[in-house]
């Protein structure tokens, strides 16, 4: 059976598109579905931020085809695991949860820390975000493959 994982940030143009691309690059698409979404709708339909596209490309990952979308309540039914980047995302996603089971699907991708929002930063901030997410996705992969 396929396992579905959703990565969530605020705009779905900087952090979660990177998280989606990184995790996809580590898992076979035959058994894992990976997507991303934003808690805010202001960038719907847009490509990822050019700095996220560039940093991913530096690591051999193409995220240029992705399109931003908003997180929806129905995502709780579509995804087994929902990883959020920071505590604001956590609060916003949890506020849409309708059952304890919905809430249990959601966690901070860095467990006790936040992935800093690089939107007003520089390319080096996007590189740091890439490294944080790459480590987190390695751990997610090993937890999925050896639960
Ligand atoms: P993201 O970054 O949540 O990692 O996609 C942001 C993107 C856009 C904005 C803020 C954060 N914004 O204010 O437009």
């Amino acid at each position: 059976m396929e396992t579905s994982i959703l990565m969530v940030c605020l705009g779905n143009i900087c952090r979660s598109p990177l998280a989606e691309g990184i995790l996809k690059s580590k898992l076979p698409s035959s058994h894992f579905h990976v997507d991303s979404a934003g808690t805010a709708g202001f960038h719907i339909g847009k490509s990822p931020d050019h700095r996220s596209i560039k940093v991913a490309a530096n690591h051999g990952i193409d995220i240029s085809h992705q399109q931003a979308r908003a997180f929806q309540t129905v995502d709780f039914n579509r995804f087994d695991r929902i990883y959020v980047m920071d505590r604001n995302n956590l609060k916003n996603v949890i506020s849409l949860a309708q059952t304890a089971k919905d809430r249990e699907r959601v966690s901070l991708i860095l467990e006790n820390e936040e992935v800093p929002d690089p939107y007003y930063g520089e390319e080096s901030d996007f590189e740091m975000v890439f490294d944080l997410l790459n480590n987190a996705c390695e751990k997610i992969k090993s937890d999925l493959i050896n639960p």
Side-chain angles (χ1 to χ4, degrees):
M1 212 182 73
E2 192 179 67
T3 302
S4 297
I5 300 124
L6 184 66
M7 303 297 193
V8 177
C9 62
L10 174 64
N12 192 208
I13 56 167
C14 298
R15 292 165 292 176
S16 60
L18 274 175
E20 175 188 334
I22 293 167
L23 189 62
K24 267 188 181 152
S25 76
K26 296 180 189 292
L27 295 173
S29 60
S30 53
H31 289 83
F32 297 94
H33 172 60
V34 186
D35 191 12
S36 64
T39 58
F42 34 69
H43 296 288
I44 290 172
K46 284 197 205 156
S47 304
D49 186 283
H50 65 95
R51 296 162 296 180
S52 285
I53 292 176
K54 180 158 182 236
V55 165
N58 289 345
H59 295 268
I61 298 172
D62 180 13
I63 62 165
S64 63
H65 56 278
Q66 291 185 28
Q67 283 196 319
R69 73 169 181 89
F71 180 84
Q72 302 172 277
T73 306
V74 71
D75 287 319
F76 287 111
N77 303 328
R78 292 189 181 143
F79 292 90
D80 303 296
R81 299 286 315 135
I82 298 170
Y83 290 105
V84 299
M85 302 295 132
D86 64 33
R87 291 191 172 85
N88 268 327
N89 309 149
L90 187 64
K91 188 179 68 186
N92 290 327
V93 169
I94 292 285
S95 74
L96 295 172
Q98 290 175 336
T99 64
K101 208 164 179 198
D102 288 352
R103 283 189 288 278
E104 280 163 18
R105 292 179 199 276
V106 189
S107 42
L108 279 171
I109 192 166
L110 297 184
E111 296 176 0
N112 293 311
E113 282 174 71
E114 301 185 304
V115 180
D117 180 354
Y119 187 60
Y120 294 104
E122 296 170 10
E123 198 176 313
S124 58
D125 298 299
F126 283 73
E127 276 291 354
M128 186 190 73
V129 165
F130 184 96
D131 288 343
L132 289 171
L133 292 174
N134 194 42
N135 289 336
C137 288
E138 264 312 308
K139 180 157 191 313
I140 291 169
K141 175 189 170 178
S142 46
D143 291 348
L144 286 169
I145 290 172
N146 309 300

